[in-house]
Amino acid sequence: MRFLLTDEQREFGRSLDALLTAADTPAVLRAWAAGDHGPGRALWGRLADAGVFALAVPEAYGGVGPLPVEAAVACVELGRHAVPGPVAETLAAGVLLAGAGGPVAEEWLPGIASGAAVVSLTLEGYGPYAPDADAADAVFTVTGDELRLAPGPGEPSASADPARRLFRPEPGGAPVAKGPAIRAAARAAGDTAAFATAALALGCGEELLRATVAYVKQRTQFGVPVGSFQAVKHRLADTLLGLEFARPLLYGAAVELASEVSRPGAGTGSAEGSPGAGAAVAAAKVTAGEAGYAAARTALQLHGAIGYTEELDLAWWLRRARPLRDAWGTPSACRARVLAG
């Protein structure tokens, strides 16, 4: 059995890295945080052209998915470059709406796959906030066995990451689908959101570590680079180990999810979410989230006072690590799910 990414999957990741390196994401982040979503939506369109959002949409609706392994490759790169917008939520909406089926799927899934539609959502059990709802073309909410389209983004709430604003969607809105299938689709969508967030957290941690290694090679103390100090080397090594231990759990969860959607009767991509797949996703989420947050603490300490400055681009990654750790399953909730699974 092969446990390595294929040449095509690695090339997909490299192509996204090249696209995002040329996009100047710090400038896009600053504009997004200021309420100017134009540059972010333009970048979103280029990512859609590369096939990122089609990965969660079934072929019947214009997508190529579900392809969890490729989605993990993509989200790691998006996390490394801190791409703004409800990435995990839009991917999860692809799974949710595919499970709902009917007119709502026909209306929204082609737009998600093509990048024309940016979507946020809230699911029961994951908190009341929809990230970046003000920039979304639709905000879906699930309560019980009802799927609703929120009438508006609602009021903003405080967020540690200014480029990841939180909103409590306006209540109401007519149900667009209902029934037992909605509960099953919501469980699968929750797993997808947690899985994508784990990949984003891993990518965020990788970039924090890369930037910190580069900085300690340049910063000198007592006439030598601080990166030559044994204590600094140990801190960086511990951070690297945390990220590397998270990586196989992430791709292991991708394999579990891929097996889930390929089982008989799951042709629409609307898997219900087995306990085994859910536990694998939870393990990946808690490990990647904690590793990314540990990378942020290491980066802040080793950058010293400069790490607190607004002018440093790294501040956007520092602010993102903890929200990603806690979104779509806090560490304690994920640990409990691993034990239950």
Side-chain angles (χ1 to χ4, degrees):
M1 184 175 292
R2 183 177 176 86
F3 290 99
L4 298 175
L5 294 177
T6 65
D7 291 340
E8 291 80 7
Q9 289 164 341
R10 288 194 292 270
E11 181 56 33
F12 179 48
R14 287 192 291 267
S15 68
L16 291 176
D17 178 40
L19 184 158
L20 292 167
T21 299
D24 189 16
T25 52
V28 176
L29 283 162
R30 286 185 168 87
W32 191 276
D36 178 6
H37 302 131
R41 290 295 295 254
L43 178 57
W44 194 278
R46 293 197 292 275
L47 290 169
D49 291 341
V52 170
F53 302 108
L55 295 172
V57 176
E59 292 183 16
Y61 298 100
V64 296
L67 295 175
V69 176
E70 286 76 6
V73 171
C75 286
V76 168
E77 292 302 325
L78 269 60
R80 285 208 309 118
H81 291 274
V83 171
V87 171
E89 293 72 24
T90 296
L91 292 172
V95 174
L96 174 66
L97 299 179
V104 67
E106 295 171 0
E107 179 181 359
W108 288 99
L109 285 178
I112 290 175
S114 69
V118 176
V119 177
S120 193
L121 80 163
T122 65
L123 300 174
E124 222 169 14
Y126 288 100
Y129 297 114
D132 298 307
D134 61 330
D137 300 297
V139 179
F140 290 99
T141 64
V142 176
T143 304
D145 62 357
E146 288 190 343
L147 171 64
R148 295 175 181 266
L149 181 60
E155 292 297 319
S157 299
S159 174
D161 181 356
R164 188 177 183 275
R165 302 176 67 196
L166 301 176
F167 291 80
R168 188 187 291 267
E170 292 180 8
V176 293
K178 61 173 60 178
I182 300 302
R183 290 181 182 270
R187 287 194 295 271
D191 284 346
T192 299
F195 170 72
T197 303
L200 293 168
L202 178 60
C204 180
E206 287 181 348
E207 175 57 20
L208 285 162
L209 178 61
R210 184 208 62 78
T212 305
V213 170
Y215 180 72
V216 299
K217 287 180 179 179
Q218 298 173 358
R219 180 185 172 194
T220 59
Q221 205 167 47
F222 308 115
V224 296
V226 298
S228 65
F229 300 159
Q230 198 71 10
V232 172
K233 291 180 178 179
H234 285 173
R235 185 69 184 266
L236 293 170
D238 288 343
T239 302
L240 175 62
L241 283 174
L243 295 168
E244 289 303 316
F245 272 110
R247 193 183 316 280
L249 289 176
L250 175 69
Y251 287 108
V255 171
E256 288 281 355
L257 290 172
S259 299
E260 188 74 4
V261 298
S262 64
R263 81 193 197 290
T268 62
S270 56
E272 294 186 10
S274 71
V281 169
K285 175 64 173 59
V286 66
T287 309
E290 294 282 30
Y293 184 47
R297 297 200 307 271
T298 296
L300 185 59
Q301 181 181 19
L302 297 186
H303 275 81
I306 194 175
Y308 291 95
T309 61
E310 290 284 342
E311 292 78 10
L312 186 70
D313 288 343
L314 194 71
W316 296 99
W317 281 260
L318 290 170
R319 289 172 166 177
R320 182 152 294 195
R322 184 164 183 173
L324 288 176
R325 183 196 70 170
D326 296 337
W328 295 105
T330 63
S332 59
C334 288
R335 291 188 178 97
R337 193 173 185 191
V338 171
L339 291 174

PDB file of all heavy atoms in Angstrom, residues 124-163:
ATOM      1  N   GLU A 124     -25.061  23.161  13.834  1.00  0.00           N
ATOM      2  CA  GLU A 124     -25.375  22.882  15.226  1.00  0.00           C
ATOM      3  C   GLU A 124     -24.222  22.118  15.875  1.00  0.00           C
ATOM      4  O   GLU A 124     -23.688  21.171  15.298  1.00  0.00           O
ATOM      5  CB  GLU A 124     -26.652  22.042  15.304  1.00  0.00           C
ATOM      6  CG  GLU A 124     -27.594  22.479  16.395  1.00  0.00           C
ATOM      7  CD  GLU A 124     -28.954  21.804  16.289  1.00  0.00           C
ATOM      8  OE1 GLU A 124     -29.076  20.821  15.539  1.00  0.00           O
ATOM      9  OE2 GLU A 124     -29.877  22.280  16.962  1.00  0.00           O
ATOM     10  N   GLY A 125     -23.822  22.575  17.054  1.00  0.00           N
ATOM     11  CA  GLY A 125     -22.746  21.909  17.770  1.00  0.00           C
ATOM     12  C   GLY A 125     -21.380  22.521  17.544  1.00  0.00           C
ATOM     13  O   GLY A 125     -20.405  22.116  18.188  1.00  0.00           O
ATOM     14  N   TYR A 126     -21.276  23.488  16.635  1.00  0.00           N
ATOM     15  CA  TYR A 126     -19.986  24.106  16.333  1.00  0.00           C
ATOM     16  C   TYR A 126     -19.960  25.603  16.624  1.00  0.00           C
ATOM     17  O   TYR A 126     -19.035  26.289  16.205  1.00  0.00           O
ATOM     18  CB  TYR A 126     -19.634  23.881  14.862  1.00  0.00           C
ATOM     19  CG  TYR A 126     -19.254  22.460  14.535  1.00  0.00           C
ATOM     20  CD1 TYR A 126     -20.175  21.589  13.955  1.00  0.00           C
ATOM     21  CD2 TYR A 126     -17.973  21.970  14.803  1.00  0.00           C
ATOM     22  CE1 TYR A 126     -19.832  20.281  13.641  1.00  0.00           C
ATOM     23  CE2 TYR A 126     -17.628  20.666  14.499  1.00  0.00           C
ATOM     24  CZ  TYR A 126     -18.556  19.825  13.918  1.00  0.00           C
ATOM     25  OH  TYR A 126     -18.219  18.531  13.620  1.00  0.00           O
ATOM     26  N   GLY A 127     -20.929  26.102  17.322  1.00  0.00           N
ATOM     27  CA  GLY A 127     -20.938  27.519  17.637  1.00  0.00           C
ATOM     28  C   GLY A 127     -21.811  28.312  16.682  1.00  0.00           C
ATOM     29  O   GLY A 127     -22.113  27.859  15.574  1.00  0.00           O
ATOM     30  N   PRO A 128     -22.187  29.529  17.085  1.00  0.00           N
ATOM     31  CA  PRO A 128     -23.170  30.308  16.306  1.00  0.00           C
ATOM     32  C   PRO A 128     -22.583  31.233  15.262  1.00  0.00           C
ATOM     33  O   PRO A 128     -23.329  31.951  14.602  1.00  0.00           O
ATOM     34  CB  PRO A 128     -23.854  31.129  17.400  1.00  0.00           C
ATOM     35  CG  PRO A 128     -22.756  31.397  18.392  1.00  0.00           C
ATOM     36  CD  PRO A 128     -21.874  30.166  18.373  1.00  0.00           C
ATOM     37  N   TYR A 129     -21.259  31.232  15.093  1.00  0.00           N
ATOM     38  CA  TYR A 129     -20.650  32.260  14.246  1.00  0.00           C
ATOM     39  C   TYR A 129     -20.285  31.738  12.874  1.00  0.00           C
ATOM     40  O   TYR A 129     -19.778  30.627  12.715  1.00  0.00           O
ATOM     41  CB  TYR A 129     -19.399  32.824  14.928  1.00  0.00           C
ATOM     42  CG  TYR A 129     -19.698  33.501  16.222  1.00  0.00           C
ATOM     43  CD1 TYR A 129     -19.222  32.983  17.418  1.00  0.00           C
ATOM     44  CD2 TYR A 129     -20.476  34.651  16.268  1.00  0.00           C
ATOM     45  CE1 TYR A 129     -19.508  33.599  18.622  1.00  0.00           C
ATOM     46  CE2 TYR A 129     -20.761  35.278  17.465  1.00  0.00           C
ATOM     47  CZ  TYR A 129     -20.273  34.742  18.631  1.00  0.00           C
ATOM     48  OH  TYR A 129     -20.565  35.350  19.831  1.00  0.00           O
ATOM     49  N   ALA A 130     -20.529  32.592  11.873  1.00  0.00           N
ATOM     50  CA  ALA A 130     -20.175  32.296  10.481  1.00  0.00           C
ATOM     51  C   ALA A 130     -19.014  33.200  10.088  1.00  0.00           C
ATOM     52  O   ALA A 130     -19.177  34.419  10.009  1.00  0.00           O
ATOM     53  CB  ALA A 130     -21.365  32.531   9.562  1.00  0.00           C
ATOM     54  N   PRO A 131     -17.834  32.647   9.830  1.00  0.00           N
ATOM     55  CA  PRO A 131     -16.697  33.489   9.453  1.00  0.00           C
ATOM     56  C   PRO A 131     -16.922  34.188   8.117  1.00  0.00           C
ATOM     57  O   PRO A 131     -17.467  33.606   7.175  1.00  0.00           O
ATOM     58  CB  PRO A 131     -15.536  32.485   9.353  1.00  0.00           C
ATOM     59  CG  PRO A 131     -15.973  31.286  10.134  1.00  0.00           C
ATOM     60  CD  PRO A 131     -17.459  31.233   9.983  1.00  0.00           C
ATOM     61  N   ASP A 132     -16.528  35.450   8.066  1.00  0.00           N
ATOM     62  CA  ASP A 132     -16.546  36.233   6.823  1.00  0.00           C
ATOM     63  C   ASP A 132     -17.914  36.253   6.157  1.00  0.00           C
ATOM     64  O   ASP A 132     -18.017  36.281   4.923  1.00  0.00           O
ATOM     65  CB  ASP A 132     -15.490  35.707   5.848  1.00  0.00           C
ATOM     66  CG  ASP A 132     -14.086  35.830   6.393  1.00  0.00           C
ATOM     67  OD1 ASP A 132     -13.713  36.933   6.796  1.00  0.00           O
ATOM     68  OD2 ASP A 132     -13.364  34.812   6.428  1.00  0.00           O
ATOM     69  N   ALA A 133     -18.956  36.259   6.964  1.00  0.00           N
ATOM     70  CA  ALA A 133     -20.308  36.246   6.394  1.00  0.00           C
ATOM     71  C   ALA A 133     -20.597  37.509   5.586  1.00  0.00           C
ATOM     72  O   ALA A 133     -21.409  37.479   4.656  1.00  0.00           O
ATOM     73  CB  ALA A 133     -21.339  36.099   7.513  1.00  0.00           C
ATOM     74  N   ASP A 134     -19.917  38.607   5.927  1.00  0.00           N
ATOM     75  CA  ASP A 134     -20.159  39.850   5.190  1.00  0.00           C
ATOM     76  C   ASP A 134     -19.629  39.786   3.766  1.00  0.00           C
ATOM     77  O   ASP A 134     -20.069  40.544   2.893  1.00  0.00           O
ATOM     78  CB  ASP A 134     -19.529  41.034   5.930  1.00  0.00           C
ATOM     79  CG  ASP A 134     -18.018  40.902   6.078  1.00  0.00           C
ATOM     80  OD1 ASP A 134     -17.522  39.760   6.161  1.00  0.00           O
ATOM     81  OD2 ASP A 134     -17.329  41.946   6.117  1.00  0.00           O
ATOM     82  N   ALA A 135     -18.678  38.894   3.510  1.00  0.00           N
ATOM     83  CA  ALA A 135     -18.108  38.750   2.171  1.00  0.00           C
ATOM     84  C   ALA A 135     -18.716  37.597   1.396  1.00  0.00           C
ATOM     85  O   ALA A 135     -18.371  37.381   0.236  1.00  0.00           O
ATOM     86  CB  ALA A 135     -16.591  38.540   2.270  1.00  0.00           C
ATOM     87  N   ALA A 136     -19.628  36.857   2.027  1.00  0.00           N
ATOM     88  CA  ALA A 136     -20.187  35.652   1.418  1.00  0.00           C
ATOM     89  C   ALA A 136     -21.417  35.984   0.577  1.00  0.00           C
ATOM     90  O   ALA A 136     -22.175  36.908   0.889  1.00  0.00           O
ATOM     91  CB  ALA A 136     -20.551  34.634   2.489  1.00  0.00           C
ATOM     92  N   ASP A 137     -21.602  35.213  -0.481  1.00  0.00           N
ATOM     93  CA  ASP A 137     -22.803  35.338  -1.301  1.00  0.00           C
ATOM     94  C   ASP A 137     -23.992  34.639  -0.674  1.00  0.00           C
ATOM     95  O   ASP A 137     -25.145  34.927  -1.031  1.00  0.00           O
ATOM     96  CB  ASP A 137     -22.540  34.738  -2.688  1.00  0.00           C
ATOM     97  CG  ASP A 137     -21.411  35.448  -3.404  1.00  0.00           C
ATOM     98  OD1 ASP A 137     -21.546  36.646  -3.688  1.00  0.00           O
ATOM     99  OD2 ASP A 137     -20.375  34.801  -3.664  1.00  0.00           O
ATOM    100  N   ALA A 138     -23.737  33.722   0.245  1.00  0.00           N
ATOM    101  CA  ALA A 138     -24.800  33.023   0.954  1.00  0.00           C
ATOM    102  C   ALA A 138     -24.257  32.545   2.289  1.00  0.00           C
ATOM    103  O   ALA A 138     -23.075  32.191   2.410  1.00  0.00           O
ATOM    104  CB  ALA A 138     -25.314  31.830   0.148  1.00  0.00           C
ATOM    105  N   VAL A 139     -25.132  32.565   3.303  1.00  0.00           N
ATOM    106  CA  VAL A 139     -24.800  32.003   4.617  1.00  0.00           C
ATOM    107  C   VAL A 139     -25.878  30.982   4.952  1.00  0.00           C
ATOM    108  O   VAL A 139     -27.056  31.334   5.112  1.00  0.00           O
ATOM    109  CB  VAL A 139     -24.749  33.090   5.704  1.00  0.00           C
ATOM    110  CG1 VAL A 139     -24.415  32.466   7.054  1.00  0.00           C
ATOM    111  CG2 VAL A 139     -23.727  34.161   5.346  1.00  0.00           C
ATOM    112  N   PHE A 140     -25.478  29.724   5.034  1.00  0.00           N
ATOM    113  CA  PHE A 140     -26.413  28.650   5.339  1.00  0.00           C
ATOM    114  C   PHE A 140     -26.316  28.298   6.816  1.00  0.00           C
ATOM    115  O   PHE A 140     -25.236  28.335   7.407  1.00  0.00           O
ATOM    116  CB  PHE A 140     -26.113  27.407   4.488  1.00  0.00           C
ATOM    117  CG  PHE A 140     -26.425  27.585   3.032  1.00  0.00           C
ATOM    118  CD1 PHE A 140     -25.414  27.886   2.127  1.00  0.00           C
ATOM    119  CD2 PHE A 140     -27.721  27.465   2.559  1.00  0.00           C
ATOM    120  CE1 PHE A 140     -25.694  28.059   0.781  1.00  0.00           C
ATOM    121  CE2 PHE A 140     -28.012  27.635   1.218  1.00  0.00           C
ATOM    122  CZ  PHE A 140     -26.999  27.937   0.324  1.00  0.00           C
ATOM    123  N   THR A 141     -27.452  27.966   7.386  1.00  0.00           N
ATOM    124  CA  THR A 141     -27.501  27.521   8.778  1.00  0.00           C
ATOM    125  C   THR A 141     -28.274  26.206   8.839  1.00  0.00           C
ATOM    126  O   THR A 141     -29.226  26.002   8.084  1.00  0.00           O
ATOM    127  CB  THR A 141     -28.193  28.563   9.685  1.00  0.00           C
ATOM    128  OG1 THR A 141     -29.564  28.702   9.293  1.00  0.00           O
ATOM    129  CG2 THR A 141     -27.500  29.919   9.577  1.00  0.00           C
ATOM    130  N   VAL A 142     -27.842  25.334   9.729  1.00  0.00           N
ATOM    131  CA  VAL A 142     -28.527  24.060   9.946  1.00  0.00           C
ATOM    132  C   VAL A 142     -28.930  23.974  11.403  1.00  0.00           C
ATOM    133  O   VAL A 142     -28.106  24.130  12.303  1.00  0.00           O
ATOM    134  CB  VAL A 142     -27.638  22.862   9.580  1.00  0.00           C
ATOM    135  CG1 VAL A 142     -28.346  21.549   9.911  1.00  0.00           C
ATOM    136  CG2 VAL A 142     -27.281  22.887   8.099  1.00  0.00           C
ATOM    137  N   THR A 143     -30.208  23.747  11.617  1.00  0.00           N
ATOM    138  CA  THR A 143     -30.748  23.500  12.954  1.00  0.00           C
ATOM    139  C   THR A 143     -31.618  22.266  12.875  1.00  0.00           C
ATOM    140  O   THR A 143     -32.615  22.252  12.132  1.00  0.00           O
ATOM    141  CB  THR A 143     -31.576  24.692  13.464  1.00  0.00           C
ATOM    142  OG1 THR A 143     -30.772  25.880  13.422  1.00  0.00           O
ATOM    143  CG2 THR A 143     -32.040  24.443  14.889  1.00  0.00           C
ATOM    144  N   GLY A 144     -31.249  21.225  13.605  1.00  0.00           N
ATOM    145  CA  GLY A 144     -32.007  19.981  13.538  1.00  0.00           C
ATOM    146  C   GLY A 144     -31.945  19.403  12.138  1.00  0.00           C
ATOM    147  O   GLY A 144     -30.873  19.174  11.587  1.00  0.00           O
ATOM    148  N   ASP A 145     -33.109  19.199  11.553  1.00  0.00           N
ATOM    149  CA  ASP A 145     -33.137  18.649  10.188  1.00  0.00           C
ATOM    150  C   ASP A 145     -33.559  19.695   9.164  1.00  0.00           C
ATOM    151  O   ASP A 145     -34.077  19.367   8.107  1.00  0.00           O
ATOM    152  CB  ASP A 145     -34.062  17.439  10.124  1.00  0.00           C
ATOM    153  CG  ASP A 145     -35.506  17.783  10.468  1.00  0.00           C
ATOM    154  OD1 ASP A 145     -35.781  18.961  10.807  1.00  0.00           O
ATOM    155  OD2 ASP A 145     -36.355  16.878  10.404  1.00  0.00           O
ATOM    156  N   GLU A 146     -33.316  20.995   9.482  1.00  0.00           N
ATOM    157  CA  GLU A 146     -33.673  22.076   8.574  1.00  0.00           C
ATOM    158  C   GLU A 146     -32.435  22.833   8.102  1.00  0.00           C
ATOM    159  O   GLU A 146     -31.582  23.218   8.914  1.00  0.00           O
ATOM    160  CB  GLU A 146     -34.638  23.063   9.232  1.00  0.00           C
ATOM    161  CG  GLU A 146     -36.044  22.526   9.407  1.00  0.00           C
ATOM    162  CD  GLU A 146     -37.019  23.605   9.828  1.00  0.00           C
ATOM    163  OE1 GLU A 146     -36.557  24.677  10.282  1.00  0.00           O
ATOM    164  OE2 GLU A 146     -38.234  23.387   9.704  1.00  0.00           O
ATOM    165  N   LEU A 147     -32.349  23.034   6.813  1.00  0.00           N
ATOM    166  CA  LEU A 147     -31.309  23.852   6.197  1.00  0.00           C
ATOM    167  C   LEU A 147     -31.943  25.162   5.758  1.00  0.00           C
ATOM    168  O   LEU A 147     -32.922  25.163   5.005  1.00  0.00           O
ATOM    169  CB  LEU A 147     -30.702  23.124   4.996  1.00  0.00           C
ATOM    170  CG  LEU A 147     -29.748  23.925   4.098  1.00  0.00           C
ATOM    171  CD1 LEU A 147     -28.501  24.345   4.867  1.00  0.00           C
ATOM    172  CD2 LEU A 147     -29.376  23.109   2.867  1.00  0.00           C
ATOM    173  N   ARG A 148     -31.396  26.280   6.245  1.00  0.00           N
ATOM    174  CA  ARG A 148     -31.947  27.588   5.928  1.00  0.00           C
ATOM    175  C   ARG A 148     -30.883  28.474   5.300  1.00  0.00           C
ATOM    176  O   ARG A 148     -29.687  28.335   5.581  1.00  0.00           O
ATOM    177  CB  ARG A 148     -32.494  28.284   7.187  1.00  0.00           C
ATOM    178  CG  ARG A 148     -33.681  27.582   7.822  1.00  0.00           C
ATOM    179  CD  ARG A 148     -34.086  28.253   9.133  1.00  0.00           C
ATOM    180  NE  ARG A 148     -35.211  27.586   9.759  1.00  0.00           N
ATOM    181  CZ  ARG A 148     -36.471  27.938   9.607  1.00  0.00           C
ATOM    182  NH1 ARG A 148     -36.760  29.001   8.852  1.00  0.00           N
ATOM    183  NH2 ARG A 148     -37.432  27.280  10.190  1.00  0.00           N
ATOM    184  N   LEU A 149     -31.337  29.408   4.480  1.00  0.00           N
ATOM    185  CA  LEU A 149     -30.488  30.448   3.936  1.00  0.00           C
ATOM    186  C   LEU A 149     -30.721  31.705   4.762  1.00  0.00           C
ATOM    187  O   LEU A 149     -31.819  32.258   4.770  1.00  0.00           O
ATOM    188  CB  LEU A 149     -30.838  30.700   2.465  1.00  0.00           C
ATOM    189  CG  LEU A 149     -30.018  31.769   1.723  1.00  0.00           C
ATOM    190  CD1 LEU A 149     -28.536  31.416   1.713  1.00  0.00           C
ATOM    191  CD2 LEU A 149     -30.545  31.943   0.310  1.00  0.00           C
ATOM    192  N   ALA A 150     -29.708  32.134   5.510  1.00  0.00           N
ATOM    193  CA  ALA A 150     -29.862  33.278   6.409  1.00  0.00           C
ATOM    194  C   ALA A 150     -30.214  34.531   5.618  1.00  0.00           C
ATOM    195  O   ALA A 150     -29.662  34.759   4.532  1.00  0.00           O
ATOM    196  CB  ALA A 150     -28.589  33.495   7.208  1.00  0.00           C
ATOM    197  N   PRO A 151     -31.115  35.367   6.148  1.00  0.00           N
ATOM    198  CA  PRO A 151     -31.497  36.587   5.423  1.00  0.00           C
ATOM    199  C   PRO A 151     -30.408  37.651   5.390  1.00  0.00           C
ATOM    200  O   PRO A 151     -30.497  38.600   4.614  1.00  0.00           O
ATOM    201  CB  PRO A 151     -32.726  37.075   6.189  1.00  0.00           C
ATOM    202  CG  PRO A 151     -32.617  36.464   7.545  1.00  0.00           C
ATOM    203  CD  PRO A 151     -31.913  35.161   7.367  1.00  0.00           C
ATOM    204  N   GLY A 152     -29.378  37.522   6.218  1.00  0.00           N
ATOM    205  CA  GLY A 152     -28.295  38.501   6.232  1.00  0.00           C
ATOM    206  C   GLY A 152     -27.154  38.019   7.093  1.00  0.00           C
ATOM    207  O   GLY A 152     -27.293  37.067   7.865  1.00  0.00           O
ATOM    208  N   PRO A 153     -25.983  38.671   6.990  1.00  0.00           N
ATOM    209  CA  PRO A 153     -24.823  38.208   7.755  1.00  0.00           C
ATOM    210  C   PRO A 153     -24.930  38.455   9.243  1.00  0.00           C
ATOM    211  O   PRO A 153     -24.264  37.780  10.037  1.00  0.00           O
ATOM    212  CB  PRO A 153     -23.661  39.003   7.148  1.00  0.00           C
ATOM    213  CG  PRO A 153     -24.297  40.228   6.587  1.00  0.00           C
ATOM    214  CD  PRO A 153     -25.651  39.797   6.107  1.00  0.00           C
ATOM    215  N   GLY A 154     -25.774  39.405   9.653  1.00  0.00           N
ATOM    216  CA  GLY A 154     -25.901  39.713  11.064  1.00  0.00           C
ATOM    217  C   GLY A 154     -24.820  40.663  11.545  1.00  0.00           C
ATOM    218  O   GLY A 154     -24.081  41.260  10.766  1.00  0.00           O
ATOM    219  N   GLU A 155     -24.714  40.793  12.859  1.00  0.00           N
ATOM    220  CA  GLU A 155     -23.773  41.727  13.468  1.00  0.00           C
ATOM    221  C   GLU A 155     -22.409  41.067  13.661  1.00  0.00           C
ATOM    222  O   GLU A 155     -22.325  39.893  14.002  1.00  0.00           O
ATOM    223  CB  GLU A 155     -24.295  42.212  14.819  1.00  0.00           C
ATOM    224  CG  GLU A 155     -25.525  43.094  14.720  1.00  0.00           C
ATOM    225  CD  GLU A 155     -25.242  44.382  13.969  1.00  0.00           C
ATOM    226  OE1 GLU A 155     -24.161  44.975  14.194  1.00  0.00           O
ATOM    227  OE2 GLU A 155     -26.078  44.784  13.140  1.00  0.00           O
ATOM    228  N   PRO A 156     -21.316  41.834  13.463  1.00  0.00           N
ATOM    229  CA  PRO A 156     -19.978  41.270  13.668  1.00  0.00           C
ATOM    230  C   PRO A 156     -19.677  41.081  15.151  1.00  0.00           C
ATOM    231  O   PRO A 156     -20.214  41.801  16.006  1.00  0.00           O
ATOM    232  CB  PRO A 156     -19.054  42.310  13.039  1.00  0.00           C
ATOM    233  CG  PRO A 156     -19.818  43.596  13.124  1.00  0.00           C
ATOM    234  CD  PRO A 156     -21.264  43.221  12.977  1.00  0.00           C
ATOM    235  N   SER A 157     -18.833  40.125  15.459  1.00  0.00           N
ATOM    236  CA  SER A 157     -18.362  39.871  16.815  1.00  0.00           C
ATOM    237  C   SER A 157     -16.843  39.995  16.844  1.00  0.00           C
ATOM    238  O   SER A 157     -16.179  39.968  15.799  1.00  0.00           O
ATOM    239  CB  SER A 157     -18.789  38.474  17.284  1.00  0.00           C
ATOM    240  OG  SER A 157     -20.192  38.356  17.302  1.00  0.00           O
ATOM    241  N   ALA A 158     -16.297  40.121  18.046  1.00  0.00           N
ATOM    242  CA  ALA A 158     -14.855  40.277  18.181  1.00  0.00           C
ATOM    243  C   ALA A 158     -14.135  39.040  17.655  1.00  0.00           C
ATOM    244  O   ALA A 158     -14.583  37.908  17.846  1.00  0.00           O
ATOM    245  CB  ALA A 158     -14.500  40.507  19.647  1.00  0.00           C
ATOM    246  N   SER A 159     -13.010  39.273  16.988  1.00  0.00           N
ATOM    247  CA  SER A 159     -12.211  38.176  16.450  1.00  0.00           C
ATOM    248  C   SER A 159     -10.741  38.488  16.664  1.00  0.00           C
ATOM    249  O   SER A 159     -10.305  39.630  16.485  1.00  0.00           O
ATOM    250  CB  SER A 159     -12.490  37.980  14.957  1.00  0.00           C
ATOM    251  OG  SER A 159     -11.623  37.011  14.401  1.00  0.00           O
ATOM    252  N   ALA A 160      -9.975  37.467  17.047  1.00  0.00           N
ATOM    253  CA  ALA A 160      -8.534  37.653  17.234  1.00  0.00           C
ATOM    254  C   ALA A 160      -7.828  37.911  15.919  1.00  0.00           C
ATOM    255  O   ALA A 160      -6.742  38.483  15.896  1.00  0.00           O
ATOM    256  CB  ALA A 160      -7.940  36.420  17.920  1.00  0.00           C
ATOM    257  N   ASP A 161      -8.428  37.480  14.823  1.00  0.00           N
ATOM    258  CA  ASP A 161      -7.847  37.650  13.499  1.00  0.00           C
ATOM    259  C   ASP A 161      -8.679  38.671  12.734  1.00  0.00           C
ATOM    260  O   ASP A 161      -9.812  38.394  12.345  1.00  0.00           O
ATOM    261  CB  ASP A 161      -7.841  36.308  12.760  1.00  0.00           C
ATOM    262  CG  ASP A 161      -7.222  36.400  11.369  1.00  0.00           C
ATOM    263  OD1 ASP A 161      -6.862  37.514  10.948  1.00  0.00           O
ATOM    264  OD2 ASP A 161      -7.109  35.354  10.712  1.00  0.00           O
ATOM    265  N   PRO A 162      -8.155  39.878  12.501  1.00  0.00           N
ATOM    266  CA  PRO A 162      -8.948  40.904  11.821  1.00  0.00           C
ATOM    267  C   PRO A 162      -9.286  40.558  10.380  1.00  0.00           C
ATOM    268  O   PRO A 162     -10.190  41.155   9.795  1.00  0.00           O
ATOM    269  CB  PRO A 162      -8.054  42.151  11.889  1.00  0.00           C
ATOM    270  CG  PRO A 162      -6.673  41.626  12.067  1.00  0.00           C
ATOM    271  CD  PRO A 162      -6.811  40.374  12.859  1.00  0.00           C
ATOM    272  N   ALA A 163      -8.580  39.599   9.790  1.00  0.00           N
ATOM    273  CA  ALA A 163      -8.888  39.165   8.428  1.00  0.00           C
ATOM    274  C   ALA A 163      -9.749  37.902   8.428  1.00  0.00           C
ATOM    275  O   ALA A 163      -9.912  37.258   7.395  1.00  0.00           O
ATOM    276  CB  ALA A 163      -7.599  38.902   7.650  1.00  0.00           C
TER     277      ALA A 163
END
